[in-house]
Amino acid sequence: MKELSTKKKLTAFTIQENLNLALNSASAIGCHVVNIGAQDLREGKPHLVLGLLWQIIKIGLFADIELSKNEALVALLRDGESLEDLMKLSPEELLLRWANYHLENAGYQKINNFHSDIKDSRAYYHLLDQIAPKGNKEGESRIDINMCGFNEKDDLKRAEYMLQEADKLGCRQFVTPADVVQGNPKLNLAFVANLFNKYPALEKPVNQDIDWSLLEGETREERTFRNWMNSQGVNPAVNHLYSDLVDALVILQLYEKIKVPVDWNKVNRPPYPKLGANMKKLENCNYAVDLGKKRAKFSLVGIAGTDLNDGNSTLTLALVWQLMRRYTLNVLEELGDGQKVNDDIIISWINTTLKDAGKSSTVQSFKDKNLSSSLPILDLIDAIQPNSINYDLVKTGDLSDEDKHDNAKYAVSMARKIGARVYALPEDLVEVKSKMVMTVFACLMGRGMKRV
């Protein structure tokens, strides 16, 4: 990774840059890093470091526990359920259902959690036995799980024997026997997620009336918005952009992040009553749209509470984008002593900063096709922090798509390295997605304004 400083003897400055890159990259994938800084990592504050590491590990382990990436999960559908019902489940809920699917096939009792219900290791024994390869497929070696330890009287010894069996599958990571016996929820969740990722042991259903087109994965834009929301520490976390916003609770939390006051006495919270649950959620959605129009002064023409409640993708995205944009502009206004900021002010600042640094690049608008090379962004980074860009790594001239992507990747990483919290992806720059381009420049402007 060319953006990371890896010399044996790092200076305090390069250590700070590496930590900035780590934190801002973590934020971009949806980690909540609002109350943690580079200095906290450098000082090795245990609760902050461990908290961040857990978030990163969890995001990595859960990445494929999602229907669009693993259609065989549809096998977990229960009688009377629709595909939409299954799609609303969080990765944790899907994992629990997956484990119980295999436990049911083993004729063993179901579990309700990955802490108190797995302490005796017996559910794990049956799960391992169910998912172990049976050698029925071409090129697949049979792995037999020895169940002898199942009847061991000592819990710790039983857990150790179980983990020895898990080791046959290459899945001993994350837990010790003590972690199992004590029911450590995070580590046991990681253990089960790893089992799923390596041996899901599910078959995609055939001859069922299933609309597979519903399983399209999220777009890049949707993922960026979802990661931004989660990086703000919303609770519960957003796993599915539309279905997780149908009660507007996350939207209302984000209003508070952009300093729009929310009267929580007007808000309905779960658990919702079985009768009239959707009406309670709709009331929240109506309130969220009302706040957007009257207090936030958003442009929400044609958007009603029912659109959020129904999970209308286009109209929900329109509101979420305005929340993210306002959040970004608020940061600039705070740095600029409350002076209002708009696109023209950002463009003017960019060009003035480039000119003052002797750069030849200019930016006409956030739709400027010249931005696909990322050269103006790289020049701006170098203007904000002189000599930070290694121009030997920058592709110039007649650029191929691969050249543009390399430049964009370098630009995004270097922006994060100098301290700008960039959520956009390299593809957004290459394709000149104006909304994401605006957030990149706004974050760089924020970083630039901190110099004085």
Side-chain angles (χ1 to χ4, degrees), residues 356-399:
D356 290 348
K359 307 290 186 185
S360 59
S361 300
T362 58
V363 175
Q364 304 306 313
S365 75
F366 299 130
K367 296 178 180 178
D368 191 333
K369 291 301 176 190
N370 292 326
L371 290 170
S372 68
S373 69
S374 294
L375 293 177
I377 298 171
L378 289 161
D379 279 345
L380 184 61
I381 293 168
D382 201 63
I384 293 168
Q385 189 160 306
N387 304 315
S388 58
I389 296 298
N390 179 353
Y391 280 95
D392 290 340
L393 300 175
V394 179
K395 314 285 175 68
T396 56
D398 188 15
L399 301 179

Side-chain angles (χ1 to χ4, degrees), residues 165-413:
E165 299 308 303
D167 199 27
K168 292 180 182 177
L169 302 177
C171 294
R172 186 168 177 147
Q173 299 97 315
F174 299 108
V175 288
T176 64
D179 294 324
V180 176
V181 173
Q182 290 163 12
N184 184 303
K186 288 180 180 175
L187 296 179
N188 280 283
L189 184 65
F191 175 67
V192 177
N194 190 42
L195 288 175
F196 172 87
N197 286 327
K198 291 189 176 180
Y199 297 96
L202 295 172
E203 294 291 334
K204 180 179 173 181
V206 292
N207 302 324
Q208 282 194 24
D209 186 19
I210 291 171
D211 183 1
W212 295 100
S213 67
L214 289 172
L215 294 184
E216 286 182 16
E218 63 185 349
T219 66
R220 214 168 57 232
E221 184 181 45
E222 288 165 349
R223 185 166 71 252
T224 301
F225 286 152
R226 186 171 59 80
N227 287 341
W228 170 71
M229 290 177 182
N230 287 330
S231 75
Q232 298 304 310
V234 294
N235 186 26
V238 180
N239 296 300
H240 311 292
L241 189 58
Y242 306 111
S243 60
D244 288 355
L245 302 185
V246 295
D247 65 357
L249 284 181
V250 167
I251 298 285
L252 293 167
Q253 290 172 59
L254 291 170
Y255 275 127
E256 291 202 319
K257 300 288 182 186
I258 62 167
K259 299 183 173 57
V260 172
V262 174
D263 181 354
W264 289 100
N265 292 320
K266 292 183 178 179
V267 179
N268 303 308
R269 303 180 191 236
Y272 300 108
K274 285 188 178 178
L275 280 174
N278 201 54
M279 182 57 68
K280 295 292 183 186
K281 295 176 183 178
L282 180 57
E283 286 172 1
N284 288 353
C285 292
N286 288 334
Y287 180 46
V289 171
D290 194 53
L291 276 179
K293 289 177 178 176
K294 293 178 181 175
R295 298 300 298 265
K297 305 296 184 196
F298 286 163
S299 174
L300 299 177
V301 179
I303 299 180
T306 50
D307 298 311
L308 295 182
N309 188 242
D310 292 342
N312 182 302
S313 57
T314 304
L315 300 179
T316 300
L317 282 180
L319 174 55
V320 172
W321 160 241
Q322 290 183 75
L323 283 162
M324 185 176 183
R325 175 185 164 82
R326 179 67 59 81
Y327 176 83
T328 307
L329 295 180
N330 279 0
V331 172
L332 294 182
E333 287 168 13
E334 285 171 11
L335 290 169
D337 298 323
Q339 182 186 347
K340 289 293 178 189
V341 178
N342 56 31
D343 289 6
D344 291 339
I345 289 172
I346 297 172
I347 296 284
S348 174
W349 181 88
I350 293 166
N351 289 320
T352 300
T353 305
L354 288 168
K355 185 179 177 183
D356 290 348
K359 307 290 186 185
S360 59
S361 300
T362 58
V363 175
Q364 304 306 313
S365 75
F366 299 130
K367 296 178 180 178
D368 191 333
K369 291 301 176 190
N370 292 326
L371 290 170
S372 68
S373 69
S374 294
L375 293 177
I377 298 171
L378 289 161
D379 279 345
L380 184 61
I381 293 168
D382 201 63
I384 293 168
Q385 189 160 306
N387 304 315
S388 58
I389 296 298
N390 179 353
Y391 280 95
D392 290 340
L393 300 175
V394 179
K395 314 285 175 68
T396 56
D398 188 15
L399 301 179
S400 65
D401 287 344
E402 187 178 352
D403 291 335
K404 289 178 178 179
H405 190 269
D406 286 346
N407 280 356
K409 195 174 173 185
Y410 186 41
V412 168
S413 290

Side-chain angles (χ1 to χ4, degrees), residues 18-32:
N18 283 350
L19 293 172
N20 283 342
L21 178 58
L23 280 172
N24 288 324
S25 297
S27 183
I29 62 169
C31 293
H32 181 218

Side-chain angles (χ1 to χ4, degrees), residues 74-87 89 97 208-210:
V74 174
L76 303 180
L77 265 176
R78 292 173 179 162
D79 288 343
E81 271 188 339
S82 68
L83 197 54
E84 288 95 332
D85 294 327
L86 198 61
M87 289 169 69
L89 297 183
R97 185 174 290 203
Q208 282 194 24
D209 186 19
I210 291 171

Side-chain angles (χ1 to χ4, degrees), residues 77-107:
L77 265 176
R78 292 173 179 162
D79 288 343
E81 271 188 339
S82 68
L83 197 54
E84 288 95 332
D85 294 327
L86 198 61
M87 289 169 69
K88 289 175 184 175
L89 297 183
S90 68
E92 292 97 326
E93 290 168 329
L94 278 173
L95 267 185
L96 189 61
R97 185 174 290 203
W98 170 76
N100 281 324
Y101 171 87
H102 287 300
L103 291 176
E104 199 172 344
N105 287 340

